[in-house]
Amino acid sequence: MPELPEVEGVVESLRPFVIDQTIVAVHVSDQVRKSHIEGKQAIIKGATPEDFQNAMVGYRITSLIRRSKYMFFDLMNEKGAAVLVGHLGMTGAWFPVHSLDEITETKFRNHVHVVFELSGGYLLVYSDIRRFGEMRLLNDISDHPPLLQMAPEPFAEEGLPHYLEMAQRTKYVNKPIKEFIMDGHVISGCGNIYATEALFRMRIHPSRKVGRISTARKIALYEAIVAVLRESIDRGGSSISDYRNVNGGAGSMQHFLQMYGKKTCPTCGTATKQKVIGGRTSTYCPTCQK
Ligand SMILES: [Zn+2]
């Protein structure tokens, strides 16, 4: 699943292709249309594919930013501003191309679900093998409450004070630390890969209770999360399974991960253990992490 660094990579590489482009047409796959008829609303949320197509045509994309694991395409037309909120789900990928043949990997080419024709001649293509991704057209972010409840960005100044404040709350004190740091109300965009890595760097056991960790260690852990996210952004993200950046390529952070997906601990050689915490499989070293 693409995490924060991967989404950042997608946004940065997509930006030059989409800024100041006007959407001249929108195409939606038969599979997505069929899912809407069946009441499942694949990919396009909060509107029928037809209403989505009609509403999107004529908008100019004024900016593209990442917020947590979401992509915000800011839009403008003669009636005013709007925002297209995108999420890559498990296997979403964006490709700016002149024709679909330019998408070299068959599995992505065969799962094209939404195509935006842009005024400059590019097709902005959204492909999604498993169709867990989302796009939602909103007049304003406040129209979709879950977006307002997200914690601050991990890189923002208010991120650390917010995290420390949440750590005091009764509902979190007895939670395992891994579940706590992966909670989007606590930190934005700390997914399984980077939570696993940061806990290993700090030698903290993923099941340790939030209230059993000193404030100093909690601060150091937060800093480790920020550091590992930044390193991954600098390396273009981790290429785990079906993540692709807009060039169809993938980042290199997976070569630098020390604990996620490892069978033995790189520090002490002990066999790693796995445990489900907060619904996600956590890998850790039973010797190094206490
Ligand atoms: Zn170890």
Side-chain angles (χ1 to χ4, degrees), residues 243-265:
Y243 161 69
R244 295 293 180 279
N245 64 29
V246 300
N247 303 313
S252 63
M253 184 66 182
Q254 70 278 13
H255 302 305
F256 299 89
L257 300 175
Q258 294 186 291
M259 181 50 60
Y260 181 85
K262 301 294 177 202
K263 294 272 185 283
T264 55
C265 170

Side-chain angles (χ1 to χ4, degrees), residues 2 57 62 73 129 156 162 167 186 210 233 264:
V57 170
T62 57
F73 296 82
I129 299 161
H162 174 83
V186 174
V210 172
I233 289 172
T264 55

Side-chain angles (χ1 to χ4, degrees), residues 265 267-268 285 287-288:
C265 170
T267 303
C268 71
C285 172
T287 308
C288 295

Side-chain angles (χ1 to χ4, degrees), residues 69 101 177 219 257:
K69 292 195 272 182
D101 300 338
I177 186 67
I219 293 172
L257 300 175

Side-chain angles (χ1 to χ4, degrees), residues 166-177 179-180 207-212:
M166 297 302 259
Q168 309 276 342
R169 295 208 181 167
T170 321
K171 69 179 275 204
Y172 289 123
V173 169
N174 289 315
K175 280 259 158 76
I177 186 67
E179 189 177 346
F180 176 69
S207 312
R208 183 169 265 265
K209 301 274 189 285
V210 172
R212 297 285 311 279

Side-chain angles (χ1 to χ4, degrees), residues 94-106:
W94 291 88
F95 300 92
V97 292
H98 285 103
S99 90
L100 297 185
D101 300 338
E102 289 172 38
I103 301 170
T104 48
E105 278 183 279
T106 322

